[in-house]
Amino acid sequence: MAYCTEAELVARFGDVEVADLLDRDNSGTADTNALASAQTDADALIDGYLAGRYSVPLASAPALIVGIAANLVRYILWGNNAPEEIRKRYDDSIARLKDLSAGKLTIPAETLAPLDDAGGVDYYADDRVFTSTTLAGF
């Protein structure tokens, strides 16, 4: 599941821009592979920043993550032709991801899936060498 869908991109940036970005060969049809590739790249980047603090991928994306993902996908789709405004939004999104990674921003707990026991720390040790029985003669 991508953090940002095509419908969310359209809601944020308009159907004309999204259609233009996805019509790679000017045929009038959307290249869904380009969108899927951009979504995968954006999700991987987001998960890379969040992995140290949260269980990723997130079960449901809060509005903050959807906004970040939308800016990343948009920037990726524009490629080297991205205007300054889109580059700025990309840089701002990366800054927010760094803040999330550092704990300066947090994702609301109600949007996160609970960690299972596999995410905890297990401790294993050998049996004690020095016990009250082995030290009884000293």
Side-chain angles (χ1 to χ4, degrees), residues 2 8-11 19 21-23 35 45 49 51 73 77 81-82 90 92 96 109 112 118 121 124 128 133 138:
E8 289 163 332
L9 288 172
V10 168
L21 288 172
L22 296 180
D23 185 8
L35 177 60
L45 185 60
Y49 275 101
V73 168
L77 288 172
N81 301 319
Y90 172 84
D92 290 346
R96 279 192 209 105
L112 300 174
V121 175
Y124 297 99
R128 291 181 61 172
T133 305
F138 291 98

Side-chain angles (χ1 to χ4, degrees), residues 85-132:
E85 175 214 344
I86 294 170
R87 290 178 196 269
K88 171 112 175 63
R89 289 178 87 150
Y90 172 84
D91 292 340
D92 290 346
S93 294
I94 295 297
R96 279 192 209 105
L97 287 172
K98 288 178 181 179
D99 287 346
L100 283 164
S101 178
K104 294 178 183 177
L105 278 176
T106 58
I107 296 174
E110 62 271 7
T111 63
L112 300 174
L115 291 175
D116 57 7
D117 290 337
V121 175
D122 291 330
Y123 176 76
Y124 297 99
D126 294 331
D127 291 335
R128 291 181 61 172
V129 176
F130 299 106
T131 64
S132 59

Side-chain angles (χ1 to χ4, degrees), residues 19-65:
D20 286 346
L21 288 172
L22 296 180
D23 185 8
R24 298 294 196 172
D25 57 2
N26 295 321
S27 65
T29 59
D31 182 353
T32 55
N33 290 332
L35 177 60
S37 177
Q39 288 170 320
T40 299
D41 291 349
D43 290 356
L45 185 60
I46 291 168
D47 288 347
Y49 275 101
L50 298 182
R53 235 172 230 293
Y54 301 100
S55 178
V56 293
L58 301 175
S60 66
L64 175 64
I65 298 300

